[in-house]
């Protein structure tokens, strides 16, 4: 019945239309939404409770305990229903239910509970939907109820299914962590809580301290992390390790995760530790994966063998019989483990893993190299246990010991059976001593050891015990040099000696790699901790007043104790007047990572360090009021059989004897150790850790004006503290530079081909260093300056097998660093490659400096340890920025650029202040240029304040800045580009859910509302609705663009941002922007590219230009004649990129620069204020046209300055042709000959003694007579004063012999005007007598120059003389302003996108812009070049340098000898005054030769010179 059906449909549509026109009961919908939400949360709690009651085995919860807690369940249910949130974590116990079985049960229960709650919400919705259909949609309240239940179901699916971050118990803890500010390669850290008050309040302050240390250590890498602590079990002295490890996610905070898990798993024992006043240790590690993926099993701390119960003797034990206690070892390691040596054979890490598996009988816990260290430590650490000692002897000490897979090593149980025979003899010895001897005292007596050894050998030779060693038949072989008696001897020694310190020394002696290593064992964790540094840094901080010790790979991390208050107050007062300044202030000890050093910390109650015999002679340093002893050791072989010297024997006796006179001494820090300490409290050179910030990137940007002003004030001797460290370092740099150039001038340089100034760094620091080196090289063309990556230096000189620098000119043959001035640019001061480079180059030069963020850095520590030459040798330039946690670099870049500008000014002034240096380096820069640069430098602060919107005052006030608003508005516009895809997806999602749920798509719904009832018409409406669904994303984005007023033709895809500027700006801005978006979700991700607009931007990236691509270009200020062509080139690059169009659309480009002219093809132009005086070229144009250059294009500016050039050039290249070229060259040659004849006539007339040379008085007369000749010829000549003539004379005296020959005289007379102006410039001096560049006080740059210039010099010549000043302004100042402007713009773009995700997801989706996925603020691990061989290579380079120095000395002596011979010949010829008589000439030569070749005693002069130089050889 089609007709009847049509009528029914029509009626239903009319009814629906009528219903749609009615009012919607909003209050009813809200009420039912709240009810449905409460029902959903109750389903969570009820299902979880039922699951707990259904657990019949009672492993975790008994039904009785659940029923007993029914009241608390009811309370939770009520809170959940009202708050629409069920915290299921409150349903599990907090005490000791933390094993893997419980976690697995809880994870499954949570998953089931979520499914039940979603199912309950679905049932509600289906029930209401069925009821609604039965009533034919006539009841408005039922419609509201159905809508509310649908919304609740949607909410449940989103929160419990789609957007649930909770897949495990670990993830539950993640949800509780907020996205607060924190700091982001591998790093060790740890604390020793000597003061039991740290354990009060469940250790809240201790965990605050741990979190702070993790926060800082995360800068070295934070892909995963872990902490191990030890708790007492079964009785005093029996410790078990509690290890907490987490793998960080892309957008979570490792410090929060690690604290949460550690606190939960170990807080139960903190109260007990406080009650018993026990010392607690927490040893941790954050990891940046270098050899494997960041997995849970690869996370430190590492343990190869799990906890094992073994028979152990105590060191202080006097009674017989061993005790079975748990034994386990943990290690944390930063660096790389390459190989281990057994019986003088090196074995790689892969071979070691296979061998360790067969020896330890446990599979490798992980494939990472650090896990292998844990296995080796398990084999070495054997003190007190004969089973472990016997295994150590079989594995390492016998001549048959070897590393190979499937080694036939007995099990630990078999070794225990062997150990029982050793125990029997030891027990007999203890019984015989009647309790008068301890195990430790027996071990310290070599006679007792020998007696034990003989008795044990006799024990094994008894009839019943001959087969006891049968399991070692593969290792005990008399013919191979491995008899059983040697096995017994080694086992006895290992039993007494192999403590933690011995273990660390033995491992480092036989291991190849770089190590920042911590080793701890359950047997001595109650009193000892051992750390070591070799190739990786370790610092230990002591806080006597707090009862706290912090250690870590990152120096800044151990300063965390300064910012966390001691619970219940300090335990020691500040006491002044100690012997070496011991006033209980916090101090830090930095281990010698270059040569390798080990530190054992022992806080035993008896105050006698538990150190075995081989190390008992080492000096023990009492610290922390005598409660802690520190023992420092170097790696090396340790043999008990070594003869005891008298001093060693005395030291050993003093160190272990309780009645030793040392015990009665004071506890002030030993003088030798004190001078190695760094004071942390009351030290203005130590900066506190930064406060936490919600937006660290914004904090950095806002600090730029203040920090840069502080750097300038500090350089002008107005420091923030009591002294200017940078001025002291600048003085030392100037001294080294003068010494270097003096050797060049005097030809006493050790290596003629060596580089004068080497600037090195990595990544951002390297890019800034390259610009600095470029400016310095251009300013002084003959000065050998080179910028080179630290990784290339490390690859070429730090490896036995060098890494070839393919594609670069770097090689051992071309680069010579002998006595070079090395400037290491490393803002963090801890990056691996620059740090290793500083260690490596010490063998080649003593003039090494670092540009860092603060005085207290790892590189600074290494440079301070260098030997000085008697003067004050400060080697650290500091920006005083301190630790900056944000990975996108803004303030560190700006501050480093500012400091390098100050260094450039100082080095330039040092060279220009000396005529010999200026002449040798062929100085192109002038002091006028430096004054103009300094003026721009000082005015730069105001420009930066305008750009960032914050003042440079200490309070850092927020300023109203239109320029900042303009930059941030542009950032918002680009954020709209990035977010349009996400917004379009959300609009599509809402449309689809709404129309599908309601059953009425857009066109069909409109048709129904309009009363359409024809059936066939609905097919048409549905067809168009299908088209809307198909193109819904495009439609949504088009609507967004219409609303925002953006180009409709841009491609609807992810955005690519291309940055064009000079190299350092484009590269640094690229790094900044890409890191801002590193953690962004893929739907709002971007691709960042960069290039040099004056070089390869067009070639590299124009093929990537598509509609909607975003291009930002920094434009030089083309109003300056020296930069006009650069702006024209930049403008052409942008125009070429923007001219590539498709269907009328192209990229969206903006420019940032100082010249107020908008390019026609650019979308927007941001003009930065000038903030500098005008240059002469601008002033000259204004005087001629009564107009300024603002608003003129680069092409127009080129035309203006080209016309000036044409006006002031007699014959330009544009007018040159075949006809006048011959005439021009002929006239020029003719004029040159005539001029030369005139000059020669004057020269001969003035050379009164006819020796072919002019003195200063003769030159003065000659120059003034030339004025007369020029006037007679009708030519203008520059009139000079006597002082100016003397300055010219000194500049022309190339050989510095006090006279001028004809060529030198002629060169001065024919000097171009520009060069003469540079020579005759004034010498600016600081009023305080400091060597300092004074800023220009001119109204416009060139004003003084214009007034003092001779009249014949034309204006364009003066403009040309300022070109280098303009280039310096562009390279040092203007480019910095553009970079800072880009950071403001990019920060706004990134922050806008970040906040959008939080807003639309109600906080579920969030990330931080101050960190990246790699989480590596400081690359402290070898990347990509290893530094394992730096120490050995350093000694080799020192030998090569010494050899080359000897060869150079011999060559120099020979040169001086030959020059002396020639000089004597000339003197004899002058004395005889006979140039024609060859006989007399020969006699003179003979006389000269005799005078030259023969010295006193018949020795040749050459021999005498060589002997005098022998000391330098």
């Amino acid at each position: 019945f089609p007709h009847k059906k049509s009528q029914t449909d029509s009626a239903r549509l009319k009814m629906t239309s009528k219903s749609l026109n009615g009012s919607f009961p909003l209050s009813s919908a809200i009420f039912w939404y709240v009810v449905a939400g409460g029902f959903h949360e109750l389903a969570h709690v009820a299902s979880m409770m039922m699951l707990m009651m259904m657990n019949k085995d009672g492993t975790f919860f008994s039904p009785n305990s659940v029923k007993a807690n029914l009241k608390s369940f009811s309370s939770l249910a009520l809170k959940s229903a009202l708050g629409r949130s069920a915290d299921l974590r409150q349903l599990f116990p907090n005490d000791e239910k933390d094993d893997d079985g419980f976690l697995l049960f809880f994870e499954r229960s949570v998953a089931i509970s979520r499914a039940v709650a979603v199912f309950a919400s679905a049932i509600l919705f289906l029930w209401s939907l069925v009821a609604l259909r039965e009533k034919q949609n006539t009841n408005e309240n039922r419609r509201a109820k159905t809508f509310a239940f649908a919304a609740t179901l949607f909410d449940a699916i989103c929160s419990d299914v789609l957007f649930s971050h909770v897949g495990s118990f670990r993830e539950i803890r993640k949800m509780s962590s907020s996205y607060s500010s924190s700091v982001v390669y591998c790093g060790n850290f740890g604390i020793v809580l000597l003061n039991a008050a740290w354990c009060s309040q469940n250790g809240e302050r201790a965990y605050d301290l741990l979190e702070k240390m993790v926060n800082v250590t995360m800068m070295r890498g934070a892909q995963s992390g872990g902490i191990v602590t030890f708790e007492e079990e079964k009785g005093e002295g029996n410790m078990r390790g509690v290890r907490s490890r987490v793998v960080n996610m892309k957008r979570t905070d490792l410090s929060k995760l690690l604290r949460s898990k550690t606190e939960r798993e170990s807080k139960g024992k903190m109260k007990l530790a406080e009650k018993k006043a026990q010392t607690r240790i927490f040893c941790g590690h954050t990891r940046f994966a270098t050899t494997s993926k960041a997995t849970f099993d690869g996370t430190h701390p590492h343990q190869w063998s799990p906890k094992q119960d073994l028979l152990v003797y105590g060191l202080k034990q006097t009674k017989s019989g061993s005790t079975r206690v748990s034994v386990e070892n943990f290690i944390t390691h930063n660096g790389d483990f390459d190989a281990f040596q057994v019986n003088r054979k090196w074995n790689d890490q892969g071979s070691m893993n296979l061998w360790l598996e067969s020896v330890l009988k446990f599979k490798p816990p992980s494939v990472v190299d650090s896990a292998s260290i844990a296995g080796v430590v398990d084999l070495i650490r054997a003190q007190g246990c004969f089973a472990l000692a016997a295994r150590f002897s079989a594995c390492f000490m016998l001549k048959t010991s070897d590393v190979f897979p499937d080694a036939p090593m007995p099990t630990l149980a078999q070794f225990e059976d062997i150990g029982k025979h050793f125990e029997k003899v030891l027990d007999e010895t203890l019984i015989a001593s009647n309790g008068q001897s301890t195990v430790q005292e027996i071990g310290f007596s070599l006679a007792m050891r020998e007696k034990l050894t003989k008795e044990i050998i006799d024990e094994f030779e008894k009839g019943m015990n001959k087969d006891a060693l049968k399991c070692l038949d593969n290792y005990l072989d008399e013919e191979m040099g491995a008899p059983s008696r040697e096995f017994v001897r080694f086992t006895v020694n290992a039993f007494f000696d192999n403590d933690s310190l011995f273990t660390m020394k033995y491992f480092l002696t036989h291991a190849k790699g770089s190590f920042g290593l911590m080793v701890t064992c359950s047997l001595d964790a109650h009193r000892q901790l051992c750390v070591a540094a070799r190739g990786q840094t370790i610092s230990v901080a002591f806080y006597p007043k707090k009862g706290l010790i912090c250690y870590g790979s990152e120096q800044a991390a151990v300063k965390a104790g300064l910012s966390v208050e001691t619970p219940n107050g300090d335990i020691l007062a500040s006491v002044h007047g100690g012997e070496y300044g011991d006033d209980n202030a916090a101090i830090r000890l930095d281990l010698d990572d270059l040569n390798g050093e080990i530190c054992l910390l022992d806080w035993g109650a008896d105050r006698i360090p538990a150190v075995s015999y081989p190390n008992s002679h080492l000096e023990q340093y009492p610290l922390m009021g005598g409660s802690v002893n520190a023992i420092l050791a170097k790696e090396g072989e340790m043999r008990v059989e070594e003869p005891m010297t008298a001093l060693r024997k005395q030291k050993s006796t003093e160190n272990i004897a309780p009645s030793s006179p040392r015990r009665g001494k004071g506890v002030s820090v030993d003088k030798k150790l004190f001078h190695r300490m760094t004071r942390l409290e009351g030290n203005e050179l130590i900066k506190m850790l930064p406060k936490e910030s919600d937006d660290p990137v914004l904090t950095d940007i806002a600090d730029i004006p203040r920090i840069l002003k502080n750097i300038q004030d500090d350089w002008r001797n107005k420091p923030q503290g009591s002294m200017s460290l940078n001025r002291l370092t600048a003085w030392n740099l100037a001294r080294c530079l003068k010494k270097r150039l003096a050797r060049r001038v005097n030809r006493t340089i050790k290596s003629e081909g060596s580089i004068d100034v080497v600037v090195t760094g990595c990544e951002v620091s390297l890019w800034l260093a390259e610009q600095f080196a470029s400016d310095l090289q251009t300013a002084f063309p003959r000065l050998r300056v080179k910028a080179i990556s630290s990784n290339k230096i490390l690859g070429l000189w730090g490896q036995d097998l060098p890494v070839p620098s393919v594609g670069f000119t770097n090689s051992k043959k071309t680069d010579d660093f002998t006595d070079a001035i090395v400037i290491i640019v490393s803002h963090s001061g801890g990056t691996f490659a620059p740090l290793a480079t500083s260690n490596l180059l010490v063998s080649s030069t003593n003039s090494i400096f670092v540009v860092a963020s603060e005085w207290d850095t790892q590189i600074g520590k290494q440079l301070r340890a260098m030997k000085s030459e008697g003067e004050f040798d400060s080697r650290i330039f500091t920006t005083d920025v301190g630790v900056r946690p944000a990975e996108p670099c803004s303030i560190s870049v700006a501050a480093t650029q500012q400091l390098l500008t100050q260094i450039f000014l100082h080095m330039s002034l040092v060279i220009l202040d000396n005529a010999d240096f200026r002449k040798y380096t062929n100085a192109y820069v002038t002091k006028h240029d430096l004054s103009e640069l300094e003026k721009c430098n000082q005015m730069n602060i105001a420009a930066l304040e305008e750009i960032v919107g914050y003042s440079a005052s200490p309070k850092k006030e927020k300023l109203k800045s239109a320029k900042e608003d303009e930059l941030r508005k542009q950032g918002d516009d680009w954020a709209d580009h990035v977010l349009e895809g996400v917004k379009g997806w959300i609009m599509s999602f809402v449309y689809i859910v709404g129309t599908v749920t309601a059953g009425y798509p857009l066109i069909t719904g409109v048709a129904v509302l309009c009363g359409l009832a024809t059936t066939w018409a609905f097919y048409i409406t549905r067809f168009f609705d299908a088209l809307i669904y198909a193109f819904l994303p495009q439609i949504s984005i088009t609507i967004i663009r219409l609303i925002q007023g953006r180009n409709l033709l841009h491609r609807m895809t992810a955005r690519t941002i291309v940055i064009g500027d000079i190299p350092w700006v484009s590269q640094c801005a690229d790094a900044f922007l890409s890191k801002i978006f590193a953690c962004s979700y893929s739907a709002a991700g971007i691709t960042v590219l960069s290039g040099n607009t004056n070089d390869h931007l067009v070639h590299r990236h124009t093929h990537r230009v598509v509609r909607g691509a975003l291009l930002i270009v920094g434009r030089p200020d083309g109003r300056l004649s020296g930069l006009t062509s650069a702006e024209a080139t930049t403008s052409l690059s942008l125009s070429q990129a923007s001219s590539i169009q498709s269907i009328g659309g192209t990229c969206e480009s903006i420019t940032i620069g100082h010249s107020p002219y908008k390019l026609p093809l650019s979308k927007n132009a941001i003009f930065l204020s000038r903030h500098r005086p005008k240059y002469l070229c601008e002033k000259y144009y204004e005087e001629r046209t009564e107009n300024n250059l603002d608003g003129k294009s680069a092409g127009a500016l080129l035309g203006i300055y080209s016309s000036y050039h044409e006006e002031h050039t007699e014959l330009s290249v544009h007018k040159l042709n075949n006809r006048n070229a011959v005439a021009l060259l002929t006239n020029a040659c003719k004029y040159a000959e005539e001029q030369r004849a005139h000059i020669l006539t004057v020269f001969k007339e003035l050379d009164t003694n006819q020796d072919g040379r002019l003195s200063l008085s003769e030159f003065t007369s000659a120059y003034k007579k030339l004025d007369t000749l020029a006037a007679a010829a009708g030519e203008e000549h520059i009139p000079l004063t006597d002082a100016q003539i003397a300055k010219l004379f000194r500049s022309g005296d190339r050989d510095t012999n006090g006279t001028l020959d004809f060529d030198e005289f002629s060169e001065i007379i024919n000097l171009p005007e520009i060069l003469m102006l540079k020579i005759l410039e004034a010498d600016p001096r600081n009023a305080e007598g400091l060597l300092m560049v004074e800023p220009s006080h001119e109204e416009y740059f060139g004003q003084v120059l214009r007034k003092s210039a001779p009249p014949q010099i034309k204006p364009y010549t003066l403009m040309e003389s300022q070109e280098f000043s303009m280039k310096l302004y562009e390279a040092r100042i203007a480019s910095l302003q553009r970079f800072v402007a880009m950071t403001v713009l990019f920060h706004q773009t990134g922050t806008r996108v970040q906040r959008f995700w939080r807003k639309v997801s109600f906080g579920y989706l969030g990330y931080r812009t101050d960190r990246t996925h790699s989480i590596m603020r400081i690359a402290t691990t070898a990347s990509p070049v290893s530094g394992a061989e730096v120490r050995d290579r350093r000694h080799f380079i020192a030998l090569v340098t010494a050899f080359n120095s000897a060869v150079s000395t011999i060559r120099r002596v020979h040169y001086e000898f030959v020059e002396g011979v020639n000089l004597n010949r000339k003197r004899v010829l002058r004395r005889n005054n006979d140039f024609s008589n060859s006989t007399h000439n020969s006699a003179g030569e003979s006389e000269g030769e005799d005078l030259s070749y023969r010295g006193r005693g018949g020795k040749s002069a050459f021999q005498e010179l060589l002997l005098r130089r022998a000391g330098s050889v």
Side-chain angles (χ1 to χ4, degrees), residues 690-719:
K691 296 180 180 179
E692 291 190 355
S693 169
D694 293 333
D695 191 346
V697 180
L698 178 60
T699 302
D700 287 355
I701 294 175
D703 275 341
I704 289 177
R706 179 179 63 86
I707 293 296
L708 268 60
K709 184 177 185 301
N710 289 344
I711 294 174
Q712 292 186 11
D713 290 343
D714 179 71
W715 202 270
R716 302 190 71 79
N717 211 28
K718 299 176 183 177

Side-chain angles (χ1 to χ4, degrees), residues 1280-1482:
L1280 300 179
T1281 64
D1282 290 347
Q1284 290 174 320
I1285 293 174
K1287 197 170 186 180
L1288 276 178
F1289 178 86
R1290 289 192 298 271
S1291 67
D1293 187 10
R1294 296 289 184 183
D1295 51 10
T1296 65
N1297 60 358
T1299 59
L1300 298 178
D1301 58 17
F1302 175 72
D1303 291 334
E1304 292 172 337
F1305 176 76
S1306 178
E1307 184 178 349
I1308 292 177
I1309 298 302
N1310 294 318
L1311 269 177
E1313 293 118 333
I1314 294 177
L1315 295 180
M1316 187 172 292
L1317 286 173
K1318 291 180 180 180
I1319 295 173
L1320 300 179
E1321 63 190 355
D1323 295 336
R1325 287 287 176 181
N1326 179 263
E1328 300 175 358
L1330 294 175
L1331 190 62
M1332 188 177 296
V1333 177
E1334 292 296 329
S1336 172
H1337 301 289
E1338 303 166 298
E1339 293 182 7
Y1340 62 91
F1341 289 152
Q1343 182 181 23
V1344 174
L1345 187 67
R1346 196 177 184 184
K1347 291 180 179 179
S1348 61
Q1352 72 271 20
I1353 297 183
K1354 300 176 181 178
Y1356 190 76
T1357 301
L1358 298 177
M1359 295 181 199
E1360 284 183 321
S1361 71
Q1362 289 186 308
E1363 284 188 358
F1364 189 64
S1365 172
M1366 300 174 189
K1367 293 173 183 176
L1368 287 177
Y1369 163 72
E1370 161 64 14
R1372 310 304 316 170
I1373 307 299
S1375 58
L1376 175 59
Q1377 294 175 14
R1378 296 199 301 270
F1379 169 77
V1380 175
M1382 289 182 185
T1383 62
V1384 174
L1385 190 156
F1386 294 154
H1387 170 261
Q1388 184 65 22
T1389 302
T1391 304
R1392 173 84 178 275
V1393 174
Q1394 176 206 30
R1395 292 172 180 171
F1396 172 82
W1397 283 109
R1398 291 180 182 274
K1399 189 179 297 183
V1400 300
S1401 64
F1402 304 102
Y1404 279 105
L1405 300 179
Y1407 64 93
R1408 290 172 20 213
T1409 57
D1410 64 306
R1411 51 158 283 186
T1412 66
H1413 191 191
S1414 65
I1415 318 176
M1416 187 184 67
R1417 176 69 174 84
I1418 306 173
T1420 58
T1421 302
S1423 176
V1425 184
S1426 172
E1429 298 163 351
V1430 167
R1431 183 173 54 167
D1432 297 332
R1433 293 291 303 173
R1434 186 182 63 140
H1435 299 309
F1436 175 76
I1437 293 173
L1439 291 174
V1440 173
T1441 303
F1443 176 79
N1444 291 336
S1445 176
V1447 173
S1448 176
T1449 301
I1450 295 172
R1451 184 186 298 115
R1452 185 167 62 253
V1453 169
H1454 180 263
Y1455 171 80
E1456 292 175 358
F1457 165 73
V1458 173
E1459 287 295 309
V1461 171
N1462 295 334
L1463 184 59
N1464 281 335
R1465 287 176 177 175
K1466 292 180 180 179
R1467 287 174 180 171
V1468 170
L1469 291 175
R1470 289 197 188 100
R1471 185 165 56 248
N1472 294 335
N1473 197 18
D1474 189 354
F1475 298 93
S1476 59
N1477 192 333
S1478 61
T1479 305
H1480 289 182
N1481 185 24
S1482 300

Side-chain angles (χ1 to χ4, degrees), residues 146-409:
T146 304
F147 177 81
F149 289 172
T152 302
L153 176 59
F154 174 73
D155 189 15
I157 294 174
C158 289
S159 61
D160 291 335
V161 180
L162 296 179
F163 301 108
S164 171
H165 291 284
V166 185
S168 65
F169 176 80
R170 218 172 288 113
E171 299 293 336
I172 292 177
R173 309 309 290 182
K174 289 180 188 177
M175 287 184 62
S176 64
S177 4
S178 60
Y179 292 93
S180 63
S181 170
S182 71
V183 193
V184 288
Y185 266 176
C186 289
N188 299 295
F189 64 90
I191 57 176
V192 180
L193 306 176
L194 299 172
N195 181 4
W198 285 99
C199 300
S200 61
Q201 301 177 354
N202 287 326
E204 190 70 23
R205 293 283 178 84
Y207 293 121
D208 290 342
L209 177 61
L210 269 177
E211 183 180 346
K212 191 76 173 177
M213 292 192 73
V214 177
N215 247 325
V216 179
T217 311
M218 281 166 56
M219 293 191 300
R220 304 168 69 94
Q223 295 175 351
S224 63
I227 293 175
V228 65
T229 185
F230 287 87
E231 299 175 349
E232 187 177 341
E233 65 172 4
K234 296 180 183 178
E236 187 175 356
N238 195 12
M239 311 291 287
R240 75 177 182 95
V242 180
R243 179 172 52 167
S244 308
R245 297 185 293 175
V246 295
V247 177
N248 199 20
M249 304 296 287
K250 183 175 182 178
R251 300 177 182 90
T252 51
D253 188 337
L254 180 64
S255 64
K256 304 282 185 188
L257 297 178
L258 197 51
R259 178 202 173 134
S260 178
K261 188 170 185 180
T262 305
E263 190 173 6
R264 175 180 60 83
E265 294 182 345
S266 61
K267 85 157 56 169
K269 296 292 183 180
M270 291 295 267
K271 291 183 178 179
L272 182 61
E274 180 188 15
K275 184 178 180 181
K276 291 188 175 183
Q278 292 176 334
T279 297
R280 289 292 301 271
I281 64 173
F282 291 84
C283 306
H285 183 275
T286 63
R287 181 172 185 243
F288 181 88
T290 55
T291 59
S292 63
K293 294 181 180 179
T295 57
F296 184 79
D297 63 334
T299 303
H300 300 237
H302 281 300
Q303 178 188 47
W304 189 296
S305 303
K307 182 174 65 174
Q308 302 174 88
D309 292 334
L310 302 174
L311 295 172
V312 177
Y313 284 84
L315 291 178
K316 306 301 181 182
Q317 181 175 332
T318 58
K319 297 181 180 180
S320 62
S322 58
T323 306
R324 191 167 292 277
V325 298
S326 60
V327 179
E328 52 184 336
N329 303 301
F330 292 93
I331 68 103
T332 61
H333 168 234
N334 174 35
D336 53 275
F337 176 37
D338 299 327
F340 192 78
Q341 189 183 48
V342 177
N343 269 339
R344 299 183 180 180
K345 176 184 175 183
W346 287 104
N347 306 277
D348 60 66
Q349 188 242 338
S351 301
M352 288 295 296
N353 269 8
L354 297 175
W355 178 68
L356 288 170
E357 182 178 357
S358 63
V359 171
L360 294 171
K361 311 304 179 185
F362 294 103
K363 291 188 176 182
S366 176
V367 297
V368 300
D369 57 348
S370 300
S372 303
I373 300 177
V376 177
V377 168
D378 285 346
L379 293 178
I380 303 174
R381 179 60 177 87
Q383 188 185 52
C385 178
F386 279 113
L388 297 177
R391 187 174 65 179
F392 166 79
S393 301
C395 290
F396 297 117
M397 304 307 294
L398 300 177
K399 292 186 178 180
T400 54
S401 301
D402 197 4
V403 172
F404 55 92
D406 301 324
M409 188 65 63

Side-chain angles (χ1 to χ4, degrees), residues 766-784:
L766 176 62
W767 302 330
L768 293 168
E770 287 172 339
Q771 182 61 56
F772 171 81
S774 171
D775 297 336
L776 192 62
Q777 184 69 81
T778 307
F780 306 99
R782 289 189 61 191
L783 190 69
R784 297 196 61 186

Side-chain angles (χ1 to χ4, degrees), residues 582-647:
D582 178 20
D583 60 352
N584 292 333
I587 53 178
R588 190 189 70 229
L589 173 65
D590 300 318
L591 299 189
D592 183 3
D593 56 282
L594 179 59
N595 298 301
E597 189 171 33
I598 304 166
C599 177
L600 176 72
L601 300 175
D602 189 296
W603 53 89
D606 55 5
R607 300 197 174 188
I608 304 175
V611 179
S612 60
Y613 173 79
N615 298 307
S616 61
H617 65 287
L618 296 173
E619 192 70 43
Q620 299 174 5
Y621 303 100
L623 300 168
M624 307 279 289
S627 61
V628 175
N629 283 279
I631 301 171
L632 302 179
K634 300 290 185 182
E635 60 185 81
E637 294 289 348
M638 300 158 289
R639 298 186 181 278
V640 179
E641 297 82 359
E642 290 180 359
M644 284 284 285
T645 63
L647 178 61

